[in-house]
Amino acid sequence: AYASIAQYLGFGSLGSGKVMGLAPYGKEDENIKPFVLDNGMVNSKLFYRTEDGANFIPYDYLPEKWDYRVWDNNTQKIANLTYRLQKDFEKWMTDFILRCESKNIVLTGGCALNCVANTTAKNLVNPLLCISISFIVDYLRLTNINFQ
């Protein structure tokens, strides 16, 4: 989802970090459609499949054009879109971790790079469940792999 939103916003498919960086400037907006439905599934009405993944399907509320250099109503709508994506991802990831039976969770790719979602999940997970969120760096450190 992050790559398709990044592409839609003009950041390119590798601009997911920019989407994450814009999210704190957004706010709750009832006009922004949820990325994750109440049943935990991705809202497939917002994306269409391509050979390379998925593309975002914009809707009427979102501006056709916006300029990140000018903070106006259009830019705020875009920030609200990224805010919603971030909040939905945080909830989805936390719910997923809580459903896992394993005590060890390894995050990779974009999930591992989303520090806000990782922190949110870590803080929300009940320590009594004995679930630890581990990063690959911890694994490498614990197995004494030496980088030289």
Side-chain angles (χ1 to χ4, degrees):
Y2 278 90
S4 63
I5 296 296
Q7 185 73 36
Y8 164 70
L9 297 179
F11 298 143
S13 60
L14 298 177
S16 297
K18 291 180 174 113
V19 173
M20 289 178 214
L22 188 55
Y25 297 98
K27 57 187 176 186
E28 193 62 42
D29 184 339
E30 64 184 25
N31 296 302
I32 301 294
K33 296 178 181 179
F35 289 94
V36 179
L37 302 173
D38 291 337
N39 63 4
M41 300 296 292
V42 173
N43 187 350
S44 62
K45 293 179 181 179
L46 295 180
F47 302 95
Y48 66 91
R49 288 271 183 207
T50 67
E51 194 174 284
D52 300 320
N55 284 348
F56 177 66
I57 302 171
Y59 44 93
D60 291 344
Y61 179 71
L62 299 173
E64 288 184 29
K65 295 181 180 182
W66 71 289
D67 184 347
Y68 67 90
R69 298 168 294 185
V70 178
W71 198 270
D72 60 10
N73 190 43
N74 285 341
T75 308
Q76 186 63 58
K77 287 179 181 180
I78 295 299
N80 296 350
L81 177 74
T82 63
Y83 173 87
R84 179 64 188 246
L85 176 60
Q86 179 67 32
K87 292 301 178 188
D88 284 1
F89 178 69
E90 290 169 18
K91 181 173 179 353
W92 179 87
M93 187 170 85
T94 302
D95 290 348
F96 178 79
I97 290 170
L98 289 171
R99 286 193 315 267
C100 288
E101 293 180 20
S102 176
K103 294 179 181 179
N104 298 306
I105 307 293
V106 176
L107 303 173
T108 62
C111 297
L113 296 174
N114 193 322
C115 297
V116 174
N118 295 338
T119 302
T120 299
K122 182 180 175 210
N123 291 338
L124 290 177
V125 171
N126 184 341
L128 299 175
L129 296 174
C130 299
I131 296 174
S132 65
I133 301 173
S134 301
F135 298 98
I136 290 187
V137 174
D138 291 335
Y139 171 77
L140 297 174
R141 182 179 51 81
L142 293 172
T143 56
N144 296 318
I145 293 176
N146 194 357
F147 293 99
Q148 292 185 357

